[in-house]
């Protein structure tokens, strides 16, 4: 697997273009189908490649650094395909992309030296800190996230080993960048914390900025209304122009304009990174070492392109040239496309830059925006003297576009996916008469989950007729309750040995829990008490483990949800529930208190579904509902989990499994990812009041929002992430989180193909997406099904 190990990412100069967007003459020269894509490198010597849509989708997984295995798993999950089969069929294609340097490998692309390895793995201890994970590997530098000896998280940028074939064979560029950063002293750029020589390799240690690259930040609002997109474009544009104006006022030109070098922070301000090609125009900053230029071709100014075409030395960096590059960047952010429909070959692309005119927004599939386009048109003028005189001047022009002139509502249009689901689950609908695949009865996969989803729809949509639908689906689940196929299916590894006999998500205890909740909504207290008794009988059966989806934590969480739903006027079941919850919690913590710190020992998962976050969440939920004392070990475990965060974009995330070679795998989904943690941290903040817990919750919210993963389900995808953001909205009353939750609901409704064998599944299929859309109709009371208590006792 030479060249394929470690982290891979799309090279900065890679262009992936739908064939349908190419000109007719270009398409005529290529053997391609209408839905194919062309892949090329702006700085590469080779020609373009034509790939199919599936290959383009797989490549898209590498827009963020990932291992081949992680990328294949994410892709396979989206396609509901077998990951091993995908890996086997895709391996030759990915290998070819590595060989062409379309994908840049984190190791093995260049010859390694025994004393100066080409890359370090997570956990490597260096004199300047411990490697957390690799972020980027280029021809001449590597970038890592590290923990310094003083415990501070930082960014390490280090030259590639000289034996790996650096073009210059010296660290002069990094030394130059250190001088620029020292001069800037944290203004606009990361603060330089340390620099020097490490094993013969020059390095910089810089402030870790919690920011997201500008293109991804803008992509987050693509599914929102036109006014919301324009509002976001204005916010980001003004921040970018202000940052470059401040940089130029300090006498520095950046010299490497492209989206990955522009980081948008949580408060909307912008910081710039990568100053190895900066130019000094002030006595306090050194002049450039050479006339060498950097940058991505999409953002080259026409005078530079003309010099390259004429084979003459390029013009020196200038305010006018950088202003053009920034205008080109802003155009791409606002429309999602470049200011030119660039041809793929290098010479033709340079000619487009030198002679082509800027496209109109409508030519890019965006709505016309005359005031915005007028400013960009001048910034993209071919003649430097016709452009804006300074970035400050351009910033002022964008600042004059008043928000009132572009009225906006940041929220996405409400998805209506629940309407179709309501029709499908009705007693006369197409689903009720079908035989459900095994597991046919459970909350997770089967009829009990449909019953619970129908209950949510009934309550949020004020549709009492759906309560009868919920009861009918509950009866179906009870019909299959004594059939082995009602809860188990060895073909998908849901076996008695795997899931145990007690978990409400996978066994009869869940059916009784749903019965109790439907009875509560129907006002049938006698039936509710009987269902609670049956739940407790089932929940006392052998559990597979301690965790929240399969083990004792799941039965404790179920007890909390049912205790919350008990009518205060009739507490005949309360004593039994309290006794069960108290005993279960005490037994759990008797075992958990003996465990080593989270992140070590025999518990290899950290997240909600199977790890420490789930143990603590179930415990705090029980303590919150039952109003009992919190076990003494809980705060210690919270602090251990908080210490294990990984900064990503504007947010934080956690490794989903420990002890794996290479960089820690992460995800945003509920089961093992950041959105599952969010529920824990808002609850911890409410119960303990620590501002640190709220900060971690907000970090988990940003990661849940920013992730590019497009799986749609409650368990692993967009619907679960949306419920987390809905929880954060209720906790903070910050309506931007509600708007983001609605935007994720829109994306989830558009996604397709998730677990096609179980579209009716509440947790694993599209039905859960519809339930989430219904819960958004009453966001103050919308709760993630059988994970958050409904809030009756509020």
């Amino acid at each position: 697997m030479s060249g394929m190990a470690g982290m891979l990412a799309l090279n900065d100069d890679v262009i992936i273009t739908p064939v349908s967007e190419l000109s007719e003459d270009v398409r005529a020269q290529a053997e391609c189908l209408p839905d194919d894509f062309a892949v090329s490198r702006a700085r590469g010597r080779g020609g373009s490649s034509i790939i199919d849509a599936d290959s383009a989708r797989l490549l898209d997984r590498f827009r963020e650094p990932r291992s081949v295995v992680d990328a294949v798993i994410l892709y396979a999950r989206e396609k509901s395909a077998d990951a091993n089969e995908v890996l086997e069929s895709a391996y030759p294609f990915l290998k070819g992309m590595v060989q062409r340097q379309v994908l840049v490998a984190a190791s093995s692309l260049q010859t390694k030296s025994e004393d100066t390895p080409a890359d370090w793995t997570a956990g490597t201890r260096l004199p300047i800190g411990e490697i957390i994970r690799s972020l980027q590997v280029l021809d001449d530098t590597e970038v890592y996230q590290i923990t310094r000896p003083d415990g501070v998280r930082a960014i390490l940028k280090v030259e590639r080993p000289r034996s790996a074939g650096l073009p210059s064979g010296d660290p002069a560029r990094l030394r130059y960048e250190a001088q620029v950063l020292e001069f800037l002293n944290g203004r606009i750029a990361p603060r330089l914390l340390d620099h020097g020589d490490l094993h013969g390799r020059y390095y910089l240690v810089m402030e870790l900025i919690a920011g997201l690259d500008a293109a991804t930040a803008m992509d987050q609002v693509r599914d929102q209304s036109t006014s919301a997109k324009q509002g976001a474009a204005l916010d980001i544009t003004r921040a970018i122009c202000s940052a470059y104006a401040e940089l130029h006022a300090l006498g520095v030109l950046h010299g490497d304009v492209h989206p990955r070098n522009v980081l948008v922070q949580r408060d909307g301000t912008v910081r710039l990174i990568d100053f190895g090609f900066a130019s000094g125009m002030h006595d306090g900053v050194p002049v450039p070492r050479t006339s060498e230029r950097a940058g991505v071709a999409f953002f080259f100014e026409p005078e530079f392109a003309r010099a390259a075409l004429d084979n003459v030395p390029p013009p020196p960096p200038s305010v006018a040239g950088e202003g053009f590059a920034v205008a080109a960047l802003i155009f791409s952010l606002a429309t999602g496309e470049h200011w030119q429909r660039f041809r793929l070959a290098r010479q033709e692309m340079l000619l487009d830059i030198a002679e082509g005119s800027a496209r109109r927004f409508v030519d890019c599939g965006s709505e016309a925006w005359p005031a915005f386009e007028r400013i960009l048109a001048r910034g993209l003028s071919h003649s430097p003297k016709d452009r804006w005189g300074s970035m400050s001047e351009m910033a002022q022009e964008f600042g004059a576009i008043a928000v009132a002139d572009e009225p906006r509502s940041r929220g996405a249009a409400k998805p209506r996916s629940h309407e179709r689901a309501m029709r499908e689950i009705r007693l006369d609908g197409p689903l009720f008469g079908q035989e459900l695949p095994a597991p046919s009865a459970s909350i997770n996969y089967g009829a009990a989950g449909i019953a619970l989803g129908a209950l949510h729809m009934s309550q949020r949509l004020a549709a009492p007729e759906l309560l009868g639908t919920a009861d009918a689906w509950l009866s179906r689940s009870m019909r299959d309750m004594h059939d082995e196929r009602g809860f188990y299916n060895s073909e998908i590894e849901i076996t008695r040995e795997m899931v145990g006999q007690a978990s409400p998500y996978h066994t009869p205890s869940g059916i009784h829990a749903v019965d109790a909740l439907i009875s509560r909504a129907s006002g049938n207290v006698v039936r509710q008490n009987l269902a609670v008794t049956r739940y407790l009988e089932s929940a006392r059966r052998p559990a597979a483990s301690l965790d929240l989806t399969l083990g004792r934590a799941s039965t404790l969480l179920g007890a909390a949800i049912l205790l919350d739903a008990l009518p205060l006027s009739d507490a005949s079941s309360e004593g039994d529930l309290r006794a069960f919850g108290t005993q279960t919690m005490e037994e759990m913590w008797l075992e958990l208190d003996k465990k080593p710190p989270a992140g070590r020992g025999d518990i290899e998962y950290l997240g909600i579904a199977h790890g420490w976050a789930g143990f603590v969440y179930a415990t705090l939920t029980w303590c919150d509902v039952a109003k009992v004392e919190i076990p003494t070990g809980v705060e210690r475990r919270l602090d251990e989990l908080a210490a294990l965060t990984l900064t990503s974009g504007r947010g934080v995330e956690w490794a989903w499994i420990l002890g794996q070679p290479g960089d820690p795998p992460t995800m945003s989904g509920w089961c093992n990812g950041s959105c599952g943690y969010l529920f824990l941290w808002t609850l911890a903040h409410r119960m303990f009041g620590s501002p640190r817990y709220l900060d971690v919750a907000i970090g988990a919210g940003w990661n849940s929002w920013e992730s590019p993963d497009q799986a749609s389900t409650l368990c692993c995808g967009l619907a679960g992430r949306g419920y987390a953001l809905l929880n954060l909205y209720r906790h903070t009353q910050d309506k931007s989180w509600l708007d983001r939750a609605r935007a994720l609901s829109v994306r989830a409704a558009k996604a397709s193909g998730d677990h096609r064998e179980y579209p009716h599944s509440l947790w694993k299929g599209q039905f859960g997406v519809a339930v989430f859309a219904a819960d958004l109709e009453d966001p103050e009371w919308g709760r993630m099904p059988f994970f958050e208590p409904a809030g009756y006792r509020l």
Side-chain angles (χ1 to χ4, degrees):
M1 223 170 155
S2 175
M4 303 282 283
M7 305 291 281
L8 299 176
L10 283 174
N11 211 335
D12 278 342
D13 65 345
V14 169
I15 312 164
I16 303 178
T17 308
V19 165
S20 59
E21 294 185 5
L22 301 179
S23 61
E24 291 186 12
D25 58 328
V26 172
R27 288 201 303 270
Q29 300 173 34
E31 187 175 339
C32 58
L33 298 174
D35 59 350
D36 284 345
F37 288 74
V39 179
S40 59
R41 291 186 58 206
R43 296 193 298 266
R45 294 177 181 272
S48 301
S49 298
I50 301 298
I51 62 174
D52 60 27
D54 285 339
S55 297
R57 193 171 183 179
L58 177 57
L59 267 187
D60 200 56
R61 297 291 80 198
F62 293 98
R63 292 195 182 277
E64 297 294 326
R66 299 188 191 279
S67 69
V68 168
V69 172
D70 286 346
V72 166
I73 289 173
L74 289 170
Y75 171 83
R77 184 187 299 145
E78 290 179 10
K79 299 287 290 184
S80 298
D82 181 87
N84 289 325
E85 292 180 1
V86 172
L87 180 59
E88 183 177 352
S89 62
Y91 180 80
F93 163 71
L94 293 175
K95 185 176 181 180
M97 293 295 101
V98 168
Q99 290 171 343
R100 290 189 54 206
Q101 293 196 355
V102 170
L103 292 176
V104 180
S107 63
S108 303
L109 275 180
Q110 295 153 326
T111 306
K112 292 186 178 183
S113 163
E114 184 175 328
D115 298 324
T116 56
D119 64 273
W120 294 299
T121 58
T124 299
R125 294 181 181 273
L126 304 169
I128 55 175
E130 180 177 337
I131 299 294
I132 299 175
R133 58 178 169 181
S134 168
L135 298 180
Q136 190 176 44
V137 176
L138 300 175
D139 290 343
D140 55 353
T141 56
E142 301 169 9
V143 182
Y144 298 92
Q145 192 176 130
I146 67 169
T147 301
R148 301 183 71 200
D150 59 4
V152 173
R153 298 285 178 86
I155 296 297
L156 167 65
K157 185 174 184 179
V158 59
E159 65 166 319
R160 296 280 284 174
R162 297 182 194 181
S163 59
L166 267 176
S168 62
D170 66 63
R173 186 179 301 153
L174 283 181
R175 291 184 188 277
Y176 177 78
E177 184 171 5
Q179 291 178 289
V180 176
L181 292 176
E182 282 184 319
F183 170 76
L184 293 174
N185 195 27
R187 295 167 295 189
I188 307 128
R191 189 176 302 278
L192 182 66
L193 305 177
D194 188 18
H195 60 103
D197 187 88
L198 179 67
H199 303 318
R201 304 164 66 177
Y202 196 78
Y203 71 89
L204 310 177
V205 176
M206 298 170 286
E207 169 192 6
L208 190 160
I209 296 173
L212 189 68
D213 74 84
T216 306
M218 189 61 204
D219 282 344
Q220 302 303 316
V221 296
R222 294 284 178 215
D223 290 319
Q224 297 192 29
S225 65
T226 298
S227 56
K229 284 185 286 189
Q230 290 183 347
L234 275 175
D235 291 343
I236 294 175
T237 294
R238 290 165 176 166
I240 292 172
C241 289
S242 295
Y244 275 98
E246 185 177 356
L247 183 68
H248 293 176
L250 291 169
V252 180
L253 289 172
H254 184 251
D256 194 4
V257 175
H258 67 83
R260 288 192 180 182
N261 285 344
V262 178
L263 299 184
V264 182
Q265 300 180 110
R266 291 183 187 180
D267 63 0
T269 58
V270 158
R271 303 281 289 280
L272 306 177
I273 61 173
D274 263 354
F275 284 83
F277 290 91
S279 301
M281 302 184 298
H282 190 283
D283 291 342
V285 181
V287 296
R289 295 181 300 112
T290 68
S291 60
E292 186 179 3
R293 292 287 302 274
V296 175
F298 303 137
F299 311 109
F300 286 165
E301 66 270 35
E303 53 269 33
F304 179 87
R306 174 54 62 191
L309 287 168
D310 294 341
N311 199 26
V312 299
S318 66
V319 170
E322 187 142 290
F324 183 96
V326 173
L329 170 64
I330 292 170
F331 188 104
S332 71
L333 297 178
T335 65
E337 297 193 19
H338 292 292
W339 68 280
Q340 283 275 308
R341 181 170 284 181
F342 290 112
R343 290 175 287 179
L344 302 181
R346 181 177 182 274
Q347 291 294 106
E348 283 78 0
M349 177 177 282
L350 290 172
L351 196 61
D352 290 338
I353 296 169
E355 298 180 356
S357 299
R359 302 161 74 188
R360 299 174 302 165
F361 277 23
V362 292
D363 297 330
C364 304
S366 299
E367 291 192 26
W369 193 358
F372 199 94
E373 293 181 67
R374 176 184 59 79
I375 299 171
L376 286 181
R378 181 171 172 182
L380 293 169
S381 297
H382 284 84
S383 172
K385 63 181 178 62
D386 292 334
R387 298 173 198 152
W388 298 105
S390 68
M391 285 304 307
S392 294
E393 192 177 349
M394 189 158 74
Q396 289 173 1
E397 290 294 318
F398 280 117
I401 300 179
V403 174
D405 293 340
E406 304 291 348
R408 55 176 171 162
S409 169
R410 287 186 178 273
K414 292 182 180 179
R416 311 302 298 178
S417 55
H418 56 74
E419 296 178 348
R420 176 181 176 184
M422 288 167 60
R423 293 192 296 270
E424 290 182 344
I425 66 172
R426 289 187 323 190
L427 305 191
D428 59 351
L431 188 60
F432 194 79
Q434 295 180 17
E435 189 71 25
L436 300 182
S440 61
S442 67
I443 285 181
N444 201 306
Y445 283 96
I450 299 175
L452 183 58
L455 174 62
H456 275 244
M457 290 180 174
S458 171
Q459 293 172 321
R460 303 299 167 257
L461 303 175
E465 69 278 6
L466 283 175
L467 192 57
T469 302
D471 213 11
W473 279 102
L474 176 66
S475 297
R476 278 199 58 171
S477 68
M478 288 182 169
R479 183 197 69 186
D480 293 346
M481 190 165 57
H482 303 292
D483 188 333
E484 188 79 4
R485 69 181 303 278
F487 300 101
Y488 306 114
N489 184 345
S490 59
E491 292 183 3
I492 58 172
E493 298 183 359
I494 303 297
T495 63
R496 189 181 297 269
E497 294 73 26
M498 174 66 71
V499 303
Q501 303 175 52
S503 164
Y505 296 103
H506 293 285
T507 75
S509 69
I511 292 179
H512 299 309
V514 174
D515 188 8
L517 295 175
I518 291 175
S519 300
R520 174 67 161 96
S522 304
N524 191 333
V525 177
V526 173
R527 176 177 158 185
Q528 182 180 2
N529 285 327
L530 179 59
V532 169
T533 299
R534 289 172 174 168
Y535 170 80
L536 293 174
E537 291 173 355
S538 298
R540 290 190 178 98
R541 294 174 182 171
S545 61
L546 284 172
D547 73 45
L548 186 132
T549 54
L550 310 176
R552 284 299 171 204
S554 69
T555 63
L556 178 62
L557 179 61
I561 290 170
L562 296 184
L563 180 61
D564 167 73
L566 282 181
L568 296 176
S569 59
D570 188 324
S572 57
S573 298
E574 185 162 343
D576 292 339
L577 265 177
R578 286 184 174 276
F580 173 84
T582 298
Q583 179 182 357
T584 302
M585 184 175 71
E586 289 177 351
E587 290 175 351
M588 281 175 55
W589 284 93
L590 189 63
E591 185 172 346
L592 290 172
D593 281 338
K594 299 175 184 177
K595 299 287 186 183
R600 307 177 194 170
D602 59 337
I603 298 177
E604 59 183 359
Y605 292 95
L606 296 176
I608 280 288
H610 304 295
W612 282 102
F615 309 151
V616 179
Y617 176 79
T619 300
L620 287 181
T621 302
W622 171 257
C623 293
D624 184 40
V625 174
K627 305 305 177 190
V628 297
E629 187 175 350
I630 300 169
T632 57
V634 166
E635 274 196 277
R636 175 165 61 93
R637 300 305 184 179
L638 283 169
D639 291 340
E640 290 167 2
L641 285 171
L644 291 168
T645 57
L646 304 169
T647 301
S648 177
R650 289 174 285 193
V652 298
E653 59 186 353
W654 289 259
W656 73 354
I657 187 170
L658 303 170
Q660 301 297 300
D663 291 314
T666 62
M667 67 178 297
S668 58
W670 173 88
C671 52
N672 293 298
S674 52
C675 85
Y677 287 89
L678 191 155
F679 298 92
L680 167 64
W681 295 110
T682 55
L683 180 56
H685 178 250
R686 181 158 58 83
M687 298 185 74
F688 291 106
S690 170
R692 182 190 185 196
Y693 296 160
L694 178 60
D695 185 63
V696 178
I698 292 173
W702 278 111
N703 187 260
S704 302
W705 165 241
E706 292 173 354
S707 172
D709 298 341
Q710 295 300 309
S712 65
T713 62
L714 289 191
C715 178
C716 306
L718 290 158
R721 289 158 55 190
Y723 269 117
L725 300 190
L726 181 58
N727 175 285
L728 190 56
Y729 156 68
R730 290 198 310 270
H731 186 74
T732 63
Q733 288 301 296
D734 180 347
K735 290 188 177 180
S736 66
W737 293 112
L738 176 59
D739 294 335
R740 293 177 184 123
R742 286 175 171 150
L744 291 187
S745 180
V746 172
R747 293 184 206 170
K750 291 179 180 179
S752 61
D754 291 48
H755 298 273
R756 284 167 289 184
E757 293 182 9
Y758 297 94
H760 60 278
S761 166
L762 177 61
W763 279 79
K764 302 289 188 180
Q766 289 294 310
F767 180 62
V769 175
V771 174
F772 173 49
D775 269 331
L776 282 172
E777 294 291 319
D778 188 5
E780 299 299 333
W781 291 99
R783 301 292 195 276
M784 193 165 187
F786 213 81
F787 180 64
E788 297 180 89
Y792 282 105
R793 296 206 168 199
L794 292 177

